[in-house]
Amino acid sequence: MRPFSYQHPRSTMAALALAAQHVARPGEARRPAPARYLAGGTNLLDLMKIGVDHPATLIDIAALRQEHGRIEADESGLSLGALVRMAEAAEHPAVLRDYPAIAQSLQLAASQQLRNMATLGGNVLQRTRCNYFRDPSWPACNKRMPGSGCAAMQGVNRRLAVLGVSEHCIAHYPGDFANVLAAFGAELDLLAPDGTARRIPFEELHRLPGGTPHIETNLQPGELITGFRVPAGPWTRRSLYLKIRDRDSYDFAQASAVVGLDLQDGVVREARIGLGGLVAKPWRAHAAEAALNGQRLDRAVAEAAAAAAFQDAVTHGENAFKPELGRRTLVRALLQAAAMEA
Amino acid sequence: MPDGTHTTIGQPAIRIDGRAKVTGMARYASDEVVANPAHAFLVTSAIARGRVRGFRLEAARAVPGVLDILTHENVGGEAEKPQPMSGGDTTTTLESDRIWHDGQIIALVLAESFEAAREAAHKVEVDYEAETPAASFGSPGAEEEVREAGEHKDYKLGDAAAAFAAAEVKVDARYGTPTQHHNPIELYTTTCEWRGGKLTVYESSQFVYGLRASLAKQLRMDPGDIHVVSRFVGGAFGSRGGITARTAWVAVAARRLNRPVRLVPTRDQGFTIVTYRAETRHHIQLGATRDGRLTALRHEGWEVTSRPSQYNVSGTETTARIYACPNILTKVNIVHADRNTPGFMRAPPETPYMFALETAMDELAVSLGMDPVELRRVNEPERDPATGKPFSSRSLMPCFDQGAERFGWKRRNPSPGAMREGEWLVGWGCAAAAYPANIGPAACRVTLTAEGRARVQIAAHDIGTGAYTAIAITAADRLGLELGQVLVELGGTELPAAGLAAGSSHTAGICNAVAKACEGVRQRLAQAAVTSNEGKLAGLDPASLTLSAGALRGPGGAAEALPKALARAAPGALEVYAENIPQGLPPESIGKVYQGQMAMSRGHSREDATTYTFGAQFVEVRVHELTREIRVPRAVGAFAAGTIVNPLTAYSQYMGGMIWGIGAALHEATEIDPHAARYVNDNIAEYLIPVNADVRSIEVIMVPEQDSQVNPLGIKGIGEIGIVGMNAAISNAVWHATGRRIRELPIRIEDLL
Ligand SMILES: Cc1cc2nc3c(=O)[nH]c(=O)nc-3n(C[C@H](O)[C@H](O)[C@H](O)COP(=O)(O)OP(=O)(O)OC[C@H]3O[C@@H](n4cnc5c(N)ncnc54)[C@H](O)[C@@H]3O)c2cc1C
Ligand code: SF4
C-alpha cells in the first residue's frame, strides 16, 4: 500500500483550510503533494487501488453532509447538495415527479450498493472507463501520462467517445446524471480554498480533451463542489433519460439520451437534449435542440434532430457503430417523451 | 436409530455443506490457518513477447517488510514448468528470461504483509527486450498447423466433398467464438507450508492427485512427500483442472524463507496466470435432400493456443455424432500465437463447436422451410453415425418434444420479424445440446461405526456442484441411513484417490465408487449375519440381504438393527476400501489416478457403446426495433442424463449452465489489443457477465431416462450440458426476431443496427 494521509474535517471551513495547504501559491517552486476530496470513494479509492491516482492526502468530506446534503425544490427549481447520495436523489418524491430524467439517470446508474454510497458531487467527477487509462501497465495514455500517446485510438475502443474527441484522446465520460445537468442548463456552486464562492454553468465544469486530455475540468485547485441548481421549466417535467447498454442493469451506457420537452399541441416550444455514453464530456446537444424548436415532433423531425446531434461524430474502428446507435437512441427518446403524459 | 425412512438416490436434498458455506465455516484454500505466513505478490509481464533483460529491484527491496524477490535470476533452476492435463507442453515462467505472453509471472515479491508485497511489486522495474507479438487469428506471425490425430480424433466417412457438391440444399458458412475467462469468485490462491522435507499445499483444485503429481515432478520430489488440501472450491469451471506455474514458485518461496507463504493474486492476474477458453473459428458445410435428410457434413475448426502448446478441444468429436449422415469429414487446426496456454472451460469442446453446428442446422431449416425441431427428428440416427456403435441411451427427441411443449413452440410463426410485442421484436430459437457421458476410476473408503454412522473418505472435489451431498446421498441410499448419519471427507491427497472433476465425469465416477464400497459393507454384514449361530438372519442367502432404514433385512421381513449386525461383523467399526474401475478401462487405471494422470472412459471412445447426454434448449429473445439491445425473457432446457442423484443440485447445475449460456452468447468476451496482444478488459467491471436483470425465467425439465449400460448407477453427468445449446438457441432466436444471421459471438447491439 502506498502511504497517504487521511483527514476528516468536521466542517466546510476546515476542509477548505486543509485543501489550501495543498494548493500552490503563485511563485511557489515546490509542487504541492496532491490532495483529493473523498466523498463516497467509489471511484477515487478504486483508482488508487489500481494505481492510477496517487493522492498524498485524502480529505474526507463525509461530515459536510450536514451543510451540503440537502435536496430542496420549489417552483423556480431544484437544489441538490453535493453530498446528497445518488440513491437519495433518485428516490426523492419531488425529483421523481418534476425531474424524471434526473431520477432515471440515477436509478439506471451503477448498482444499489454503489448508489447508496456515492454522492452527486463525486458522480459528476467520475473518470473515464477507458481501459488503457485504468491500467498503468499500458505505456501510451495521454490522459494518464501527457505526451505518451493514445493506445485506444487503434485498440479496443468499443465503449469510447465519438463526440468531442481529439486526436490526443477519445475517452468517454461514462456518467449518466451529468448529462441531464448539462441538458437542463444546471448551475454548479463552488467554494475555493480561500472561501471564495462562485456559481458557473454546469456545462462549463468539464473540458474537452483537445491537446490536454489530462486536464478534465475547469475547477481551480482545491475547489469544492457544494451543490447543483437545476432551474425548473416545462421541459423538466416532460423529461426522460434513455440508457442503452449491453446488460439490462449495472452497466455503463453504450449510448444514452436526455430529452426534456416543452410541447404544445405537438409542437416543440423548447427542447433540452443531452447525450451520454459516447461523449467526451457531459453533453448538451444544442444543434439537436435547434432542429426541434418550433417543429411538430414527428419521426422525421426526430431523425433530423438526431442527425444534427451527430454531425461532428468521429469514430475509430470498433466504435464506428456509435453514431448510428446514438441517433437511434435519441429518436426513440424523443418519440417516447412526446408520448409522455406531462 | 431411525426406522421407516432413509435417504435415496433421486430424492432432492439440500447441501450437507450448505450451512458451513453460508456461515463462513467452510474453509477455502486461503482460509486455512498456517503459522506466521509471509505474503507473496506476483509481478507479471507488461509485454506479450520478448525477454527480460534485467530487473531494478532497489526501490522494491527498500519497501519496509520486504523479505525476498524471486526472479529467473535467483530461482530459475529450482522448479520446472508444470505438466498440463492436455495439449502437451506449455509456456515457462521463472525458469528463464523468456516472455511468452502478456501477464506472465516474471517475479514474486515476498513480504511480511500483503500490502507491503503489493507496494514493492509495483516498484519492481523491468527492462524488457520486446518483440512484436501475434495476438490471435490473422495476426502477422501467428503460426497455423493441422492438428494431428492423437488425443483427439478426426472422422472421415464416405465422401463429404462430393456429397456436398451434389446436395439439393446447402449451408456453407463460417462461425466464430471469442476468448472467455472463468473468473470464479474465489481467486487463484496458493498457500505452501514445509515441515521438514514435507510440503503441504492449500490450493483449490479439481484434481488434487494431479496437482500433487505435477508439483512433485516440477520440484523433483517424491509425490508422497506432498499433501494437497482443497476442501472447498469457490468455483472452478475448468480453471482449476490442471496445475499452473504459480504453485511451484510459492513452494520454492516457502522453502527459501523457511516459513509458510500465501499467495492471493489479483482478479486481473487471474486472466493470465491460469487457463481460459481460447477463441475459435469454424467452417461448416451441410448438404441435405429436399426433405431435410443430411447427405454431407463437413466441420473444420481453428483454435488458438500458446506457442509451445498443442492444446485444442476438437469439438468435432461431438458434432460428428449428433445427426445421421453418411458423409462426414472433420478437421481441426491449431493457431499458435503469443498467448498463455488455454485450458478447460465449461463444456470445452461443445460450447464453441455446437454453436457452429446448431446455428448451421437452423440455417438449413430456414433454407428447407422446415421447422427446426422437425429437422432434428428427420436426422435422428439409429446408431452413432461416426462409428456405427449403438448409443447406450439417446433421448434427444424426447428432450425436444418436452421442451417444445413447455415452451409453447407450436405457437411460433416461422417468418423472421413476424412476432412482436410493442416496440420489441420477439424471436424464438432452439438448439440441441449434447455432451459425452464420461467416467473415471475412483477409490473410496467407507467406515461404519458402532453408533450406526458412516464415514466416507474419497479425494473427490466439490467445485460447487454438490459433490459432498451426492456422495452422502449415495452412501445413505446404499447403507440404509439418513443423510445426517453420513460424514463425508473429501478434497485431499490423504484420502483414497478420485480423478479430475471435469468432463461431467465426477458424479458418475465417485458415486459408483462409493456404492461399491457400500456394497462391500453390506456383504461383510450379510456374511456375518448368515453364518452366525443365532439371529433372525442366520442361514439366509447373503445376497438376499439388504440394508435399509437402519437395519439389515432379509427377504421375509426378518431384520436386524444395524448396530447388532455390525457388532457381529467387526469389533468397533467396519471399514471397507474399494476401487471402481469403469467398464472398458484396465485395472491399472486406478493406479494412474493415484499417479495424478488422466484415466477417463470417454463417451465417444468406448468399445461397447457411445454414451452421451442429450438436451434441447429453447430461448425467447427480444430485440428493440430501434436501438437493438437484446434481452432474454425466458429459456427452457430439457435434458436426459440418466440417473439424477440429487434433483435439487442438478437443477442448479442445469440452470447455471443456461445462465452462463446467456452470458456466452450476449455478453462475455475477453478483448485483446491487436497490436500489443494483451487483454484489455481484464476485470469483471468490463468483462460482462449476466446480472440478475438479464436472467428472467429459466425452466429446467429433467427428462426421465434409465441407462443401465453407461455405468452401474446409470449416472451420465450434467455439469456441462446446460450451456451447450444456449449459444446457438440464442443466435437462432436473434435471427428469428430480426432476420439477421449473426455467426460470431457475442451478439451485440452493433451486429443488429
Ligand atoms: C462498477 C461500477 C459501475 C458504475 N456504473 C455507473 C453508471 O452506470 N453510471 C454512472 O453514472 N456511474 C456509474 N458508476 C460510477 C459511480 O456513479 C461513481 O463512482 C460515483 O458516483 C462517484 O461518487 P463518490 O461519491 O463515490 O465519489 P468519489 O469516488 O469519492 O470521488 C470521485 C472524484 O470526485 C472528487 N470529489 C468528490 N466530491 C467532491 C466535491 N464535493 N467537490 C470536489 N471534488 C469532489 C474526488 O476527489 C474524486 O476525484 C459506476 C461505478 C462502478 C464502480
Ligand atoms: S482514449 Fe484517452 S484515456 Fe484512453 S488511452 Fe487514449 S488518451 Fe488515454
Side-chain angles (χ1 to χ4, degrees):
Chain A
M1 188 167 86
R2 295 183 192 83
F4 60 87
S5 112
Y6 170 82
Q7 310 281 341
H8 47 109
R10 299 271 148 238
S11 69
T12 304
M13 289 326 287
L16 294 175
L18 280 165
Q21 295 172 12
H22 297 272
V23 174
R25 276 162 211 83
E28 199 175 55
R30 188 178 59 88
R31 197 162 151 254
R36 292 249 189 275
Y37 293 119
L38 176 68
T42 61
N43 190 224
L44 179 55
L45 297 185
D46 190 20
L47 291 169
M48 288 169 69
K49 285 187 198 162
I50 61 181
V52 173
D53 204 350
H54 314 269
T57 302
L58 290 184
I59 305 170
D60 188 337
I61 54 176
L64 277 55
R65 257 176 77 76
Q66 300 286 344
E67 296 163 80
H68 308 297
R70 273 190 296 279
I71 301 176
E72 280 160 10
D74 58 24
E75 290 89 86
S76 69
L78 174 69
S79 297
L80 298 166
L83 285 146
V84 168
R85 300 208 172 95
M86 286 170 76
E88 292 170 325
E91 289 153 21
H92 193 275
V95 179
L96 282 164
R97 188 182 60 238
D98 297 331
Y99 303 86
I102 292 182
Q104 290 158 11
S105 73
L106 293 164
Q107 284 157 4
L108 296 173
S111 65
Q112 187 65 47
Q113 291 90 331
L114 285 158
R115 294 192 294 269
N116 288 341
M117 226 22 229
T119 66
L120 299 181
N123 182 278
V124 301
L125 292 176
Q126 66 179 287
R127 305 189 71 190
T128 186
R129 310 296 300 188
C130 172
N131 283 305
Y132 299 96
F133 169 73
R134 287 174 55 87
D135 179 351
S137 73
W138 288 97
C141 172
N142 287 325
K143 190 186 274 298
R144 198 164 24 78
M145 281 188 305
S148 60
C150 171
M153 211 79 80
Q154 281 159 30
V156 175
N157 57 35
R158 179 172 178 265
R159 284 194 178 266
L160 303 193
V162 298
L163 289 174
V165 298
S166 74
E167 65 270 36
H168 302 284
C169 179
I170 57 171
H172 65 313
Y173 172 79
D176 294 300
F177 167 65
N179 305 310
V180 189
L181 295 178
F184 285 179
E187 293 178 306
L188 188 64
D189 287 319
L190 301 171
L191 271 178
D194 65 3
T196 312
R198 60 175 182 138
R199 179 173 273 201
I200 63 166
F202 182 77
E203 260 197 288
E204 286 172 21
L205 170 62
H206 293 86
R207 294 163 54 114
L208 287 175
T212 53
H214 59 292
I215 307 174
E216 293 174 355
T217 72
N218 288 314
L219 292 178
Q220 299 299 313
E223 215 166 15
L224 179 75
I225 300 176
T226 56
F228 308 88
R229 174 76 190 163
V230 187
W235 54 83
T236 51
R237 240 179 195 242
R238 184 189 287 278
S239 73
L240 60 85
Y241 188 76
L242 177 65
K243 181 170 176 177
I244 307 302
R245 44 187 170 173
D246 297 318
R247 278 201 302 223
D248 212 5
S249 172
Y250 199 20
D251 197 3
F252 290 95
Q254 284 293 350
S256 68
V258 189
V259 170
L261 294 177
D262 178 2
L263 201 63
Q264 203 109 66
D265 304 325
V267 174
V268 180
R269 298 222 307 206
E270 191 168 347
R272 295 303 178 89
I273 308 295
L275 298 172
L278 35 66
V279 292
K281 61 170 246 178
W283 201 264
R284 178 167 174 185
H286 294 276
E289 293 176 2
L292 288 162
N293 291 341
Q295 301 290 319
R296 176 164 298 279
L297 181 47
D298 57 18
R299 175 109 186 202
V301 166
E303 280 172 3
F310 285 90
Q311 217 160 21
D312 299 327
V314 179
T315 66
H316 289 84
E318 273 188 4
N319 71 1
F321 72 100
K322 299 199 90 162
E324 179 60 19
L325 178 62
R327 281 189 287 269
R328 291 181 183 212
T329 304
L330 181 50
V331 169
R332 180 175 163 192
L334 281 165
L335 298 177
Q336 208 170 308
M340 267 174 84
E341 307 265 339
Chain B
M1 183 59 52
D3 57 333
T5 57
H6 71 262
T7 303
T8 54
I9 289 175
Q11 193 180 310
I14 60 165
R15 290 168 193 261
I16 61 170
D17 52 336
R19 175 178 286 271
K21 283 189 167 173
V22 298
T23 54
M25 296 297 285
R27 273 197 196 162
Y28 292 84
S30 62
D31 301 330
E32 299 277 2
V33 178
V34 292
N36 190 29
H39 297 265
F41 197 92
L42 301 175
V43 179
T44 57
S45 68
I47 64 165
R49 183 185 169 100
R51 292 188 183 277
V52 175
R53 222 183 261 132
F55 294 96
R56 275 186 302 281
L57 301 175
E58 300 72 30
R61 285 196 210 284
V63 172
V66 169
L67 301 166
D68 197 358
I69 300 176
L70 275 51
T71 70
H72 70 275
E73 290 167 358
N74 56 10
V75 298
E78 290 188 35
E80 285 160 25
K81 61 183 164 182
Q83 184 61 50
M85 280 293 143
S86 173
D89 205 359
T90 189
T91 53
T92 55
T93 51
L94 304 191
E95 298 90 309
S96 86
D97 61 352
R98 173 88 189 257
I99 291 172
W100 301 87
H101 64 85
D102 162 42
Q104 176 186 312
I105 298 172
I106 53 173
L108 266 82
V109 177
L110 306 169
E112 293 289 351
S113 69
F114 172 81
E115 289 76 12
R118 180 175 60 180
E119 187 193 353
H122 284 139
K123 292 190 169 168
V124 169
E125 287 175 56
V126 189
D127 182 11
Y128 294 110
E129 188 179 302
E131 295 164 27
T132 308
S136 182
F137 296 121
S139 302
E143 298 163 298
E144 182 174 324
E145 63 175 310
V146 177
R147 193 266 294 118
E148 299 295 330
E151 213 173 309
H152 298 287
K153 278 202 201 76
D154 299 308
Y155 295 101
K156 186 176 188 316
L157 271 94
D159 186 342
F164 179 73
E168 292 171 351
V169 183
K170 298 177 192 185
V171 171
D172 187 342
R174 290 176 183 271
Y175 305 86
T177 63
T179 316
Q180 296 179 343
H181 278 80
H182 318 77
N183 286 312
I185 286 294
E186 184 192 9
L187 294 166
Y188 299 110
T189 76
T190 300
T191 302
C192 288
E193 181 176 33
W194 291 88
R195 280 204 203 94
K198 296 195 191 286
L199 171 66
T200 303
V201 180
Y202 301 96
E203 182 177 305
S204 274
S205 173
Q206 289 172 260
F207 191 14
V208 288
Y209 273 90
L211 196 148
R212 179 174 87 158
S214 174
L215 192 59
K217 218 176 265 164
Q218 291 176 259
L219 297 173
R220 299 165 205 121
M221 287 173 65
D222 177 349
D225 289 337
I226 300 177
H227 181 201
V228 176
V229 179
S230 170
R231 305 292 181 216
F232 291 92
V233 180
F237 318 114
S239 66
R240 308 185 201 272
I243 185 171
T244 57
R246 70 189 195 271
T247 315
W249 298 122
V250 176
V252 167
R255 190 164 57 195
R256 275 167 74 92
L257 292 185
N258 195 17
R259 167 177 178 186
V261 171
R262 171 161 293 160
L263 168 71
V264 180
T266 60
R267 176 63 64 189
D268 60 324
Q269 288 171 342
F271 278 74
T272 59
I273 65 165
V274 303
T275 63
Y276 61 102
R277 194 198 293 286
E279 58 272 37
T280 67
R281 297 286 177 268
H282 306 261
H283 182 200
I284 290 204
Q285 292 178 322
L286 297 179
T289 59
R290 279 258 154 257
D291 57 2
R293 279 175 297 116
L294 286 173
T295 54
L297 187 164
R298 256 201 74 218
H299 191 166
E300 181 168 5
W302 287 261
E303 304 181 32
V304 161
T305 187
S306 65
R307 290 286 178 191
S309 169
Q310 296 289 321
Y311 182 84
N312 68 93
V313 299
S314 285
T316 42
E317 289 177 311
T318 287
T319 57
R321 46 177 40 97
I322 307 295
Y323 300 116
C325 181
N327 301 292
I328 298 176
L329 186 66
T330 69
K331 183 180 176 190
V332 172
N333 308 282
I334 305 179
V335 175
H336 298 276
D338 297 299
R339 298 275 297 282
N340 51 327
T341 304
F344 311 138
M345 185 159 151
R346 206 169 197 169
E350 286 72 15
T351 300
Y353 280 76
M354 285 290 280
F355 163 65
L357 177 68
E358 288 299 287
T359 308
M361 285 297 282
D362 200 67
E363 300 192 50
L364 182 62
V366 172
S367 301
L368 290 162
M370 202 168 171
D371 181 87
V373 176
E374 294 315 305
L375 178 62
R376 268 76 178 191
R377 200 184 310 282
V378 168
N379 287 292
E380 183 64 5
E382 295 270 309
R383 290 173 159 258
D384 179 342
T387 59
K389 284 179 194 155
F391 285 101
S392 65
S393 57
R394 180 174 163 118
S395 308
L396 178 62
M397 288 323 296
C399 289
F400 264 113
D401 290 336
Q402 293 190 29
E405 175 69 28
R406 178 78 60 88
F407 189 82
W409 184 254
K410 64 173 185 287
R411 296 195 309 274
R412 177 178 185 259
N413 179 336
S415 307
M419 292 169 67
R420 260 183 177 262
E421 201 167 300
E423 297 176 5
W424 294 84
L425 308 170
V426 176
W428 289 3
C430 69
Y435 196 85
N438 306 321
I439 182 170
C444 173
R445 188 182 303 113
V446 172
T447 310
L448 197 64
T449 66
E451 306 82 57
R453 291 174 171 276
R455 179 170 171 218
V456 184
Q457 293 170 300
I458 177 167
H461 315 85
D462 190 329
I463 55 178
T465 47
Y468 272 108
T469 313
I471 290 168
I473 289 172
T474 305
D477 178 287
R478 291 301 139 124
L479 299 173
L481 299 176
E482 288 185 5
L483 210 51
Q485 295 171 313
V486 181
L487 176 77
V488 179
E489 289 173 29
L490 51 72
T493 50
E494 80 283 8
L495 301 170
L500 176 69
S504 298
S505 70
H506 212 48
T507 305
I510 61 181
C511 290
N512 277 295
V514 171
K516 193 166 174 190
C518 292
E519 169 60 12
V521 170
R522 188 201 65 81
Q523 282 174 9
R524 294 270 299 274
L525 295 177
Q527 198 58 36
V530 300
T531 52
S532 167
N533 297 329
E534 44 92 39
K536 299 177 195 149
L537 304 171
L540 293 174
D541 173 8
S544 71
L545 304 193
T546 57
L547 284 168
S548 77
L552 183 64
R553 294 173 198 273
E560 206 161 58
L562 212 45
K564 191 158 180 208
L566 175 65
R568 207 181 271 124
L574 173 61
E575 185 181 295
V576 172
Y577 169 88
E579 293 174 348
N580 185 56
I581 315 293
Q583 154 89 32
L585 289 181
E588 59 278 13
S589 59
I590 186 70
K592 285 180 84 175
V593 179
Y594 272 103
Q595 286 156 29
Q597 292 166 26
M598 283 262 259
M600 211 186 267
S601 154
R602 296 181 158 274
H604 45 63
S605 53
R606 273 170 69 149
E607 282 301 318
D608 59 332
T610 295
T611 61
Y612 258 72
T613 306
F614 290 93
Q617 293 177 298
F618 294 82
V619 169
E620 174 172 325
V621 303
R622 304 217 162 180
V623 179
H624 192 270
E625 59 174 358
L626 261 184
T627 44
R628 307 308 246 186
E629 65 270 38
I630 309 161
R631 303 292 179 245
V632 181
R634 63 194 187 102
V636 173
F639 310 94
T643 302
I644 301 299
V645 178
N646 184 358
L648 201 60
T649 46
Y651 197 98
S652 301
Q653 278 299 303
Y654 287 135
M655 184 170 61
M658 291 174 70
I659 292 170
W660 195 342
I662 294 173
L666 300 176
H667 305 126
E668 278 188 66
T670 312
E671 319 269 7
I672 304 161
D673 184 276
H675 309 288
R678 302 184 60 201
Y679 297 138
V680 176
N681 58 336
D682 53 354
N683 58 75
I684 43 180
E686 315 289 338
Y687 179 98
L688 299 189
I689 53 173
V691 294
N692 274 323
D694 297 302
V695 182
R696 301 292 164 124
S697 163
I698 304 277
E699 284 186 84
V700 173
I701 302 168
M702 293 187 233
V703 175
E705 185 183 65
Q706 280 188 347
D707 187 334
S708 53
Q709 189 174 9
V710 65
N711 55 60
L713 292 180
I715 298 168
K716 279 180 158 183
I718 60 169
E720 342 235 344
I721 193 165
I723 190 176
V724 171
M726 287 299 283
N727 280 332
I730 290 174
S731 80
N732 297 340
V734 167
W735 171 82
H736 183 234
T738 64
R740 299 272 188 103
R741 184 63 72 179
I742 309 302
R743 301 187 180 89
E744 213 165 304
L745 299 178
I747 303 171
R748 286 170 164 169
I749 294 168
E750 56 264 42
D751 298 314
L752 303 175
L753 285 175

